[in-house]
Amino acid sequence: MTSTASLKYILDQPFVLDLFAGPGGLDVAGHSLDIPSLGIEWDKSACLTRYAAGLDTLHADVSAVRRDAFETLPPEINVLAGGPPCQTYSVAGHGAGRQALDRVKEYIERLMAGDSDQEIDEDLKTLTDPRTALVLEPLRYAIQATRSPNREHRPYDVIVLEQVREVEALWKHYAKVLEETGLPDGTKYKVVVDVLDTETYGVPQTRSRAVLIARREGLGEPSLPSPTHQSYEAKGWHRRNGKNEQGDQAAADQVRQATLYDGAEPETHGHRATGDEGLRPWRSMGDALANQVGSHPGRRTPFLVRSNYGSSSHPGRRGVRSDQQPAFTVTGKISRFVVFQHLDESIVYEGARFSMNEAGMLQSFPPDYPWSGTAQAQQVGNAVPPLFGAHLLSAALGLPRPDPEALSKPWQPATEEQRAKLRSNGCGAANDCTDKCPRPKDQVPPPSSVRPRKSKKASAK
């Protein structure tokens, strides 16, 4: 039976292990809540960003750490979190994960039944895209915790997972086995699963995520975070403003038609929708970027963005939104989004594209977050929005709602001495990677082959 003291420990002294940690979205969320974390990330550039930001990091393969170095992880870790890579499940990807859902569910059943890691690893080699198997790693870590002498076989108390909405079916299967079957040692959890929209938590971007929050039995019923902001309804917006989001008119015409600031403060640009009474208006791109803060000069001139990414889950459609709307889902293509601005009512010109600082702010990262290394746009797009992550952690741990202002101040990067120490711990050397780090060639996943390219002849038929 769980004691009151044990419950108090979980709520007051959480320590997060962040799998597939990326550049630090969930860790920044934890920082805003004064919750320590350790991230595991295999991409070198994302690790460089994390070191520059002052975040504890292991530059390593999540699967390799579980197999070979689990006993070196801090035993006081009691919260498991992560967002496994989504490319094989996303509608923008080739879809190997979506086609392998039934097989992955079978692996979940086998893990819970106690099948050996060696047998499962061998079978996983037959998957079309190896990244599909990474969605199993959180469950495998949860099981490994109960087998760890260093942890005295203590299971994680809380599990928080997020992924693209297409993974909801797998999270529901996770929930079923965690509640009904339990881990091989008998540990069971209470679990909630749903798809949440990030703009309803104050993130200036429309982004839907499948979320799982689990608490070990005896630690109370878990709950999803309550929305703080209204949802963005594209059809309602366009009915009110006479716009469309399909990008089928010239961008200049779209800009001329875009609603301009009317002199009101940016906070007033949101809209109330039926059923959203009592919630704050969703945040627009203008809200997030208008004011000067840190090195960000501010974007007070009205603008319109043409996405390089499909809208409404249609990769083939390019969308257009004004600064008075939330951003499209921020992906690794954010640096290609075209920004148009007015000179006057009759002249439109292409303005400066979003800087990495601005792209990060649209993800709710603090201004001046120290994006480092290469493929910075991809890092931004892959990250968990920190404000959304803060809501997830707060709900999972029974904490008050996070203060969004905690993420609005410029981020203070690590000193050179701090960065060197972090890299020494994470890579094995203060200014370089070592043999313990994943090799660069291993950091390029093989392309998925489930959607073969059509030849020109075939396409013409």
Side-chain angles (χ1 to χ4, degrees), residues 335-379:
S335 60
R336 303 181 193 176
F337 286 14
V338 180
V339 180
F340 294 95
Q341 294 176 306
H342 285 270
L343 285 176
D344 56 39
E345 291 186 358
S346 60
I347 302 177
V348 175
Y349 73 103
E350 184 175 333
R353 299 193 179 193
F354 292 131
S355 67
M356 286 304 99
N357 192 17
E358 290 176 315
M361 291 167 71
L362 294 177
Q363 273 274 60
S364 74
F365 275 88
D368 291 342
Y369 194 70
W371 303 102
S372 305
T374 60
Q376 293 180 16
Q378 195 66 51
Q379 292 182 50

Short mmCIF file of all heavy atoms in Angstrom, two decimals, residues 335-379:
data_model
loop_
_atom_site.label_atom_id
_atom_site.label_comp_id
_atom_site.label_asym_id
_atom_site.label_seq_id
_atom_site.Cartn_x
_atom_site.Cartn_y
_atom_site.Cartn_z
N SER A 335 11.78 27.14 -41.93
CA SER A 335 12.65 28.15 -42.54
C SER A 335 12.26 28.44 -43.98
O SER A 335 12.70 29.43 -44.57
CB SER A 335 14.11 27.69 -42.49
OG SER A 335 14.28 26.47 -43.18
N ARG A 336 11.40 27.59 -44.59
CA ARG A 336 10.98 27.81 -45.97
C ARG A 336 9.66 28.58 -46.05
O ARG A 336 9.23 28.94 -47.15
CB ARG A 336 10.81 26.47 -46.69
CG ARG A 336 12.06 25.60 -46.69
CD ARG A 336 11.78 24.31 -47.45
NE ARG A 336 12.82 23.31 -47.23
CZ ARG A 336 12.79 22.08 -47.71
NH1 ARG A 336 11.75 21.69 -48.46
NH2 ARG A 336 13.75 21.21 -47.47
N PHE A 337 9.01 28.79 -44.91
CA PHE A 337 7.76 29.55 -44.93
C PHE A 337 8.03 30.96 -45.48
O PHE A 337 8.93 31.64 -45.02
CB PHE A 337 7.18 29.67 -43.53
CG PHE A 337 6.56 28.40 -42.99
CD1 PHE A 337 6.78 27.17 -43.60
CD2 PHE A 337 5.75 28.43 -41.88
CE1 PHE A 337 6.22 25.99 -43.10
CE2 PHE A 337 5.18 27.26 -41.36
CZ PHE A 337 5.42 26.06 -41.97
N VAL A 338 7.23 31.36 -46.45
CA VAL A 338 7.41 32.67 -47.06
C VAL A 338 6.57 33.69 -46.31
O VAL A 338 5.38 33.47 -46.07
CB VAL A 338 7.03 32.65 -48.55
CG1 VAL A 338 7.23 34.03 -49.18
CG2 VAL A 338 7.86 31.60 -49.29
N VAL A 339 7.17 34.82 -45.94
CA VAL A 339 6.49 35.87 -45.19
C VAL A 339 6.32 37.08 -46.09
O VAL A 339 7.30 37.59 -46.65
CB VAL A 339 7.28 36.26 -43.92
CG1 VAL A 339 6.55 37.36 -43.15
CG2 VAL A 339 7.50 35.04 -43.04
N PHE A 340 5.07 37.55 -46.25
CA PHE A 340 4.78 38.72 -47.07
C PHE A 340 4.32 39.87 -46.18
O PHE A 340 3.63 39.67 -45.19
CB PHE A 340 3.67 38.41 -48.09
CG PHE A 340 4.08 37.40 -49.13
CD1 PHE A 340 3.77 36.06 -48.97
CD2 PHE A 340 4.77 37.81 -50.26
CE1 PHE A 340 4.15 35.13 -49.92
CE2 PHE A 340 5.15 36.88 -51.22
CZ PHE A 340 4.84 35.54 -51.05
N GLN A 341 4.73 41.09 -46.57
CA GLN A 341 4.35 42.27 -45.81
C GLN A 341 3.88 43.38 -46.75
O GLN A 341 4.12 43.33 -47.96
CB GLN A 341 5.54 42.76 -44.97
CG GLN A 341 5.94 41.76 -43.87
CD GLN A 341 7.17 42.20 -43.11
OE1 GLN A 341 8.21 42.47 -43.69
NE2 GLN A 341 7.04 42.25 -41.79
N HIS A 342 3.24 44.40 -46.17
CA HIS A 342 2.74 45.54 -46.94
C HIS A 342 3.75 46.68 -46.95
O HIS A 342 4.37 46.99 -45.94
CB HIS A 342 1.47 46.10 -46.30
CG HIS A 342 0.26 45.27 -46.55
ND1 HIS A 342 -0.56 45.46 -47.61
CD2 HIS A 342 -0.28 44.26 -45.83
CE1 HIS A 342 -1.56 44.59 -47.55
NE2 HIS A 342 -1.42 43.85 -46.48
N LEU A 343 3.87 47.33 -48.11
CA LEU A 343 4.48 48.66 -48.16
C LEU A 343 3.37 49.69 -48.04
O LEU A 343 3.47 50.67 -47.32
CB LEU A 343 5.25 48.87 -49.47
CG LEU A 343 6.60 48.14 -49.56
CD1 LEU A 343 7.20 48.35 -50.94
CD2 LEU A 343 7.55 48.65 -48.49
N ASP A 344 2.31 49.48 -48.79
CA ASP A 344 1.08 50.27 -48.63
C ASP A 344 -0.05 49.40 -49.14
O ASP A 344 0.13 48.21 -49.37
CB ASP A 344 1.16 51.62 -49.36
CG ASP A 344 1.49 51.46 -50.84
OD1 ASP A 344 0.95 50.51 -51.47
OD2 ASP A 344 2.25 52.27 -51.38
N GLU A 345 -1.22 49.96 -49.37
CA GLU A 345 -2.37 49.14 -49.74
C GLU A 345 -2.22 48.48 -51.10
O GLU A 345 -2.89 47.49 -51.39
CB GLU A 345 -3.63 50.01 -49.73
CG GLU A 345 -4.04 50.44 -48.32
CD GLU A 345 -5.37 51.16 -48.35
OE1 GLU A 345 -5.92 51.33 -49.45
OE2 GLU A 345 -5.85 51.56 -47.27
N SER A 346 -1.36 49.01 -51.95
CA SER A 346 -1.27 48.47 -53.31
C SER A 346 0.03 47.72 -53.57
O SER A 346 0.17 47.10 -54.62
CB SER A 346 -1.40 49.61 -54.33
OG SER A 346 -0.36 50.56 -54.14
N ILE A 347 0.99 47.79 -52.65
CA ILE A 347 2.29 47.17 -52.90
C ILE A 347 2.57 46.14 -51.81
O ILE A 347 2.45 46.42 -50.64
CB ILE A 347 3.42 48.22 -52.91
CG1 ILE A 347 3.14 49.28 -53.99
CG2 ILE A 347 4.77 47.55 -53.15
CD1 ILE A 347 4.16 50.38 -54.02
N VAL A 348 2.92 44.95 -52.26
CA VAL A 348 3.22 43.86 -51.35
C VAL A 348 4.64 43.38 -51.65
O VAL A 348 5.05 43.33 -52.81
CB VAL A 348 2.23 42.70 -51.54
CG1 VAL A 348 2.62 41.51 -50.68
CG2 VAL A 348 0.83 43.16 -51.20
N TYR A 349 5.39 43.03 -50.62
CA TYR A 349 6.73 42.53 -50.87
C TYR A 349 7.02 41.35 -49.95
O TYR A 349 6.36 41.19 -48.92
CB TYR A 349 7.78 43.63 -50.66
CG TYR A 349 8.03 44.00 -49.22
CD1 TYR A 349 9.16 43.55 -48.54
CD2 TYR A 349 7.12 44.79 -48.51
CE1 TYR A 349 9.39 43.88 -47.22
CE2 TYR A 349 7.35 45.14 -47.19
CZ TYR A 349 8.49 44.68 -46.55
OH TYR A 349 8.71 45.02 -45.24
N GLU A 350 7.99 40.54 -50.37
CA GLU A 350 8.39 39.40 -49.54
C GLU A 350 9.33 39.90 -48.45
O GLU A 350 10.37 40.48 -48.73
CB GLU A 350 9.07 38.33 -50.39
CG GLU A 350 9.41 37.08 -49.60
CD GLU A 350 9.96 35.97 -50.47
OE1 GLU A 350 9.64 35.95 -51.67
OE2 GLU A 350 10.72 35.13 -49.93
N GLY A 351 8.94 39.67 -47.20
CA GLY A 351 9.75 40.12 -46.07
C GLY A 351 10.73 39.05 -45.62
O GLY A 351 10.86 37.98 -46.24
N ALA A 352 11.39 39.34 -44.53
CA ALA A 352 12.36 38.40 -43.96
C ALA A 352 11.64 37.15 -43.46
O ALA A 352 10.60 37.24 -42.80
CB ALA A 352 13.12 39.07 -42.82
N ARG A 353 12.17 36.01 -43.80
CA ARG A 353 11.59 34.77 -43.31
C ARG A 353 11.86 34.66 -41.81
O ARG A 353 12.67 35.38 -41.24
CB ARG A 353 12.16 33.58 -44.07
CG ARG A 353 11.83 33.66 -45.55
CD ARG A 353 12.08 32.37 -46.29
NE ARG A 353 11.72 32.50 -47.70
CZ ARG A 353 11.60 31.49 -48.55
NH1 ARG A 353 11.81 30.25 -48.12
NH2 ARG A 353 11.27 31.70 -49.81
N PHE A 354 11.16 33.72 -41.17
CA PHE A 354 11.32 33.58 -39.73
C PHE A 354 12.75 33.19 -39.39
O PHE A 354 13.32 32.27 -39.97
CB PHE A 354 10.38 32.51 -39.18
CG PHE A 354 8.92 32.88 -39.25
CD1 PHE A 354 8.00 31.99 -39.78
CD2 PHE A 354 8.47 34.11 -38.79
CE1 PHE A 354 6.66 32.31 -39.84
CE2 PHE A 354 7.13 34.45 -38.86
CZ PHE A 354 6.22 33.55 -39.38
N SER A 355 13.32 33.91 -38.43
CA SER A 355 14.61 33.50 -37.89
C SER A 355 14.40 32.27 -37.02
O SER A 355 13.28 31.92 -36.65
CB SER A 355 15.20 34.64 -37.06
OG SER A 355 14.41 34.86 -35.89
N MET A 356 15.50 31.62 -36.63
CA MET A 356 15.37 30.46 -35.74
C MET A 356 14.82 30.90 -34.38
O MET A 356 14.07 30.16 -33.74
CB MET A 356 16.70 29.75 -35.57
CG MET A 356 17.14 28.93 -36.77
SD MET A 356 15.92 27.68 -37.29
CE MET A 356 15.10 28.50 -38.65
N ASN A 357 15.20 32.10 -33.97
CA ASN A 357 14.67 32.63 -32.72
C ASN A 357 13.15 32.76 -32.81
O ASN A 357 12.41 32.33 -31.90
CB ASN A 357 15.31 33.98 -32.42
CG ASN A 357 15.03 34.47 -31.00
OD1 ASN A 357 14.62 33.70 -30.13
ND2 ASN A 357 15.23 35.75 -30.78
N GLU A 358 12.66 33.31 -33.91
CA GLU A 358 11.21 33.48 -34.09
C GLU A 358 10.51 32.12 -34.23
O GLU A 358 9.43 31.91 -33.66
CB GLU A 358 10.94 34.33 -35.32
CG GLU A 358 11.33 35.79 -35.14
CD GLU A 358 11.13 36.59 -36.42
OE1 GLU A 358 11.53 36.08 -37.50
OE2 GLU A 358 10.59 37.71 -36.34
N ALA A 359 11.12 31.21 -35.00
CA ALA A 359 10.52 29.88 -35.14
C ALA A 359 10.39 29.20 -33.79
O ALA A 359 9.37 28.58 -33.47
CB ALA A 359 11.36 29.03 -36.09
N GLY A 360 11.43 29.35 -32.96
CA GLY A 360 11.37 28.79 -31.62
C GLY A 360 10.28 29.43 -30.78
O GLY A 360 9.58 28.75 -30.02
N MET A 361 10.09 30.73 -30.93
CA MET A 361 9.05 31.43 -30.17
C MET A 361 7.66 30.96 -30.60
O MET A 361 6.74 30.89 -29.77
CB MET A 361 9.21 32.94 -30.35
CG MET A 361 10.47 33.50 -29.67
SD MET A 361 10.87 35.20 -30.18
CE MET A 361 9.54 36.11 -29.38
N LEU A 362 7.49 30.62 -31.87
CA LEU A 362 6.21 30.07 -32.32
C LEU A 362 5.98 28.68 -31.74
O LEU A 362 4.84 28.21 -31.66
CB LEU A 362 6.16 30.01 -33.85
CG LEU A 362 6.15 31.37 -34.56
CD1 LEU A 362 6.17 31.17 -36.08
CD2 LEU A 362 4.94 32.20 -34.16
N GLN A 363 7.05 28.03 -31.31
CA GLN A 363 6.95 26.75 -30.62
C GLN A 363 6.81 26.96 -29.10
O GLN A 363 6.70 25.99 -28.36
CB GLN A 363 8.19 25.90 -30.89
CG GLN A 363 8.11 25.05 -32.14
CD GLN A 363 7.44 23.72 -31.88
OE1 GLN A 363 6.29 23.68 -31.46
NE2 GLN A 363 8.17 22.64 -32.11
N SER A 364 6.86 28.21 -28.66
CA SER A 364 6.79 28.63 -27.26
C SER A 364 8.11 28.48 -26.52
O SER A 364 8.15 28.52 -25.29
CB SER A 364 5.66 27.93 -26.47
OG SER A 364 5.94 26.59 -26.16
N PHE A 365 9.23 28.32 -27.27
CA PHE A 365 10.54 28.39 -26.63
C PHE A 365 10.79 29.84 -26.19
O PHE A 365 10.30 30.78 -26.82
CB PHE A 365 11.65 27.98 -27.60
CG PHE A 365 11.88 26.50 -27.66
CD1 PHE A 365 11.16 25.70 -28.53
CD2 PHE A 365 12.82 25.90 -26.83
CE1 PHE A 365 11.37 24.33 -28.59
CE2 PHE A 365 13.04 24.53 -26.88
CZ PHE A 365 12.32 23.74 -27.76
N PRO A 366 11.56 30.03 -25.14
CA PRO A 366 11.89 31.40 -24.73
C PRO A 366 12.70 32.11 -25.81
O PRO A 366 13.43 31.47 -26.58
CB PRO A 366 12.74 31.19 -23.47
CG PRO A 366 12.44 29.81 -22.99
CD PRO A 366 12.14 29.02 -24.23
N PRO A 367 12.57 33.42 -25.90
CA PRO A 367 13.42 34.17 -26.84
C PRO A 367 14.90 33.92 -26.53
O PRO A 367 15.28 33.67 -25.38
CB PRO A 367 13.05 35.64 -26.55
CG PRO A 367 11.69 35.57 -25.92
CD PRO A 367 11.66 34.29 -25.14
N ASP A 368 15.70 33.97 -27.57
CA ASP A 368 17.15 33.80 -27.46
C ASP A 368 17.57 32.41 -27.01
O ASP A 368 18.65 32.23 -26.45
CB ASP A 368 17.77 34.85 -26.53
CG ASP A 368 17.72 36.25 -27.11
OD1 ASP A 368 17.54 36.37 -28.34
OD2 ASP A 368 17.85 37.22 -26.35
N TYR A 369 16.73 31.42 -27.23
CA TYR A 369 17.15 30.05 -26.95
C TYR A 369 18.33 29.75 -27.87
O TYR A 369 18.29 30.07 -29.07
CB TYR A 369 16.00 29.07 -27.20
CG TYR A 369 16.24 27.71 -26.63
CD1 TYR A 369 16.23 27.51 -25.25
CD2 TYR A 369 16.47 26.62 -27.46
CE1 TYR A 369 16.45 26.24 -24.71
CE2 TYR A 369 16.69 25.35 -26.93
CZ TYR A 369 16.68 25.17 -25.56
OH TYR A 369 16.89 23.92 -25.02
N PRO A 370 19.41 29.15 -27.37
CA PRO A 370 20.67 29.06 -28.15
C PRO A 370 20.70 27.91 -29.16
O PRO A 370 21.43 26.94 -29.00
CB PRO A 370 21.72 28.87 -27.06
CG PRO A 370 21.01 28.11 -25.99
CD PRO A 370 19.60 28.66 -25.99
N TRP A 371 19.94 28.04 -30.23
CA TRP A 371 19.95 27.01 -31.27
C TRP A 371 21.37 26.88 -31.82
O TRP A 371 22.00 27.87 -32.18
CB TRP A 371 18.96 27.36 -32.38
CG TRP A 371 17.57 27.54 -31.85
CD1 TRP A 371 16.92 28.72 -31.60
CD2 TRP A 371 16.67 26.49 -31.46
NE1 TRP A 371 15.67 28.48 -31.08
CE2 TRP A 371 15.49 27.12 -30.98
CE3 TRP A 371 16.75 25.10 -31.47
CZ2 TRP A 371 14.40 26.39 -30.53
CZ3 TRP A 371 15.67 24.38 -31.02
CH2 TRP A 371 14.51 25.01 -30.55
N SER A 372 21.85 25.65 -31.91
CA SER A 372 23.25 25.42 -32.28
C SER A 372 23.34 24.27 -33.27
O SER A 372 22.37 23.56 -33.53
CB SER A 372 24.07 25.08 -31.03
OG SER A 372 23.94 26.08 -30.04
N GLY A 373 24.55 24.10 -33.83
CA GLY A 373 24.78 23.01 -34.76
C GLY A 373 24.09 23.23 -36.10
O GLY A 373 23.74 24.36 -36.47
N THR A 374 23.85 22.15 -36.81
CA THR A 374 23.24 22.21 -38.13
C THR A 374 21.77 21.82 -38.04
O THR A 374 21.28 21.44 -36.98
CB THR A 374 23.95 21.27 -39.11
OG1 THR A 374 23.87 19.93 -38.61
CG2 THR A 374 25.43 21.65 -39.23
N ALA A 375 21.06 21.93 -39.18
CA ALA A 375 19.65 21.52 -39.26
C ALA A 375 18.84 22.12 -38.12
O ALA A 375 18.03 21.44 -37.49
CB ALA A 375 19.52 20.00 -39.28
N GLN A 376 19.04 23.41 -37.86
CA GLN A 376 18.36 24.03 -36.74
C GLN A 376 16.85 24.09 -36.94
O GLN A 376 16.08 23.93 -35.98
CB GLN A 376 18.93 25.43 -36.50
CG GLN A 376 20.36 25.41 -36.01
CD GLN A 376 20.94 26.79 -35.76
OE1 GLN A 376 20.22 27.77 -35.67
NE2 GLN A 376 22.26 26.88 -35.67
N ALA A 377 16.39 24.31 -38.16
CA ALA A 377 14.95 24.32 -38.42
C ALA A 377 14.33 22.97 -38.09
O ALA A 377 13.23 22.89 -37.54
CB ALA A 377 14.67 24.70 -39.87
N GLN A 378 15.05 21.90 -38.42
CA GLN A 378 14.56 20.56 -38.09
C GLN A 378 14.50 20.36 -36.58
O GLN A 378 13.55 19.75 -36.06
CB GLN A 378 15.47 19.50 -38.72
CG GLN A 378 14.86 18.10 -38.75
CD GLN A 378 13.64 18.03 -39.65
OE1 GLN A 378 13.68 18.45 -40.81
NE2 GLN A 378 12.53 17.52 -39.12
N GLN A 379 15.48 20.88 -35.88
CA GLN A 379 15.46 20.80 -34.42
C GLN A 379 14.21 21.49 -33.85
O GLN A 379 13.51 20.94 -32.99
CB GLN A 379 16.69 21.46 -33.82
CG GLN A 379 18.00 20.76 -34.08
CD GLN A 379 19.15 21.49 -33.39
OE1 GLN A 379 19.09 21.79 -32.20
NE2 GLN A 379 20.20 21.79 -34.14
#
